[in-house]
Amino acid sequence: MRKTKAKKRYLAPDPTYNDPMVTRFVNNLMYDGKKSTSYQIFYEAMEKIKEITKEEGYDIWKKAMDNVMPAVEVRSRRIGGATFQIPTPIREDRKIAMMMKWIILYARKRNGKSMGEKLAAELIAASKGEGSSVKKKEDTHKMAEANKAFSHFKV
């Protein structure tokens, strides 16, 4: 174990929306250190959202993030030879990380021409409470609800 807790690093806000959360999203979207390409994909998605919904892309993105963010998850714990799925609340930074990874994962799996279009489609679906990333959140919550009898086994 560490002697001291690692210091939290704060991200610089992105140039357009001046939001560090956008930078964090772009960092998750990035492959092989190509950050400028990730920014292009993100901003292309924001433009596509604006074209399709006639609303601000940034607002749709925020709404989608709120709809996908989980509150609880199940963690495996071995007790007396049996493995139990124990529902546990999630830390704020882990909620954000899981939500971003789910949105990006399911956007990549979508059908579409460019990643910008796929991301835009996934964000629009998530903002309406539809789409694969929202389904993933609901499945996680259902699993936690089904196993709430084991919640006294705290991890």
Side-chain angles (χ1 to χ4, degrees), residues 11 23 26-27 30-40:
L11 295 168
T23 306
V26 166
N27 287 348
M30 179 170 51
Y31 269 144
D32 295 329
K34 296 185 181 289
K35 194 176 227 173
S36 58
T37 306
S38 294
Y39 270 119
Q40 284 175 353

Side-chain angles (χ1 to χ4, degrees), residues 73-97:
E73 68 178 336
V74 289
R75 302 194 114 163
S76 297
R77 173 122 194 253
R78 198 168 160 80
I79 298 162
T83 305
F84 295 101
Q85 297 285 331
I86 300 166
T88 52
I90 311 175
R91 291 187 331 272
E92 192 61 36
D93 59 328
R94 180 156 165 76
K95 283 181 189 180
I96 294 166

